[in-house]
Amino acid sequence: MSLRYRQEFSEAGDVLDPQVPNANQNELISEFNGGLDRDNLLNTAISEAQIVDNAFTKLHYAAANGAIPTSTTIRSWLPLSDNVLTLTLPQDCLLICEWGGVWAWLGGYTTLDYIAEDAVAFRITIDGTDLCVSHWFGSSAEYNSTHIIGATPVSAGTHVVQVEVFLSRVKHNNLQFSSDDMQSFVIVGARELVIEERRR
């Protein structure tokens, strides 16, 4: 067992508080309740045959190859409908989410403009909250790809993880949105969302 430290100390004259002895007891309990690791288990104490599938990690994925055209009028985040996963988790855990995809600029693809150009960005959200966001990719590169990854603890229950895309014309000097109309649009090709559900 690893070294555990006493959390609370009592002295003569202290007001009796049940939380004091409980804190010290919980310090030991936590070592065995969810804290079993190489500090307190022999190398061969648990065999692989004793561990059920998905006891510690579970993988979820959503992959697609079909092209998704986007609109030149988009100026908000748009979900990629086939890169969405709804997970029902039996316990609190850590979600490690990653997405990779390729895309091409079509319909008026333009060469580099040093004032402004069309740009695209991608993000992964969990229950509508940003987990990770890519930087902006300009239309001066006709074909491109990216990989984004993020991790966050989540509570037990149902959670929706989805990938979204944003298109806009941006200014080169500060990457701020431009009010100009877009001159091209993106077709997203092969893509995959992979989620690792990591349990204690």
Side-chain angles (χ1 to χ4, degrees), residues 75 136 166-171 174-179:
R75 294 191 184 275
W136 288 97
F166 194 114
L167 276 82
S168 179
R169 195 157 180 81
V170 297
K171 301 175 183 177
N174 54 14
L175 290 182
Q176 296 298 309
F177 296 147
S178 169
S179 59

Side-chain angles (χ1 to χ4, degrees), residues 139-152:
S139 58
S140 54
E142 184 174 4
Y143 300 98
N144 216 327
S145 64
T146 192
H147 179 261
I148 53 178
I149 184 169
T152 186

Side-chain angles (χ1 to χ4, degrees), residues 72 103-113 116-119 137-144 169 182-187:
T72 58
W103 69 90
W105 288 98
L106 297 173
Y109 157 71
T110 57
T111 57
L112 181 61
D113 180 341
E117 69 174 328
D118 296 340
F137 296 92
S139 58
S140 54
E142 184 174 4
Y143 300 98
N144 216 327
R169 195 157 180 81
M182 295 180 61
Q183 300 176 13
S184 54
F185 64 94
V186 162
I187 289 186

Side-chain angles (χ1 to χ4, degrees), residues 1 3-7 21-32:
M1 178 183 291
L3 185 63
R4 311 300 292 186
Y5 293 93
R6 188 171 180 174
Q7 300 298 302
N22 284 345
N24 292 327
Q25 188 70 14
N26 288 337
E27 182 70 7
L28 293 176
I29 292 174
S30 66
E31 181 70 15
F32 299 99

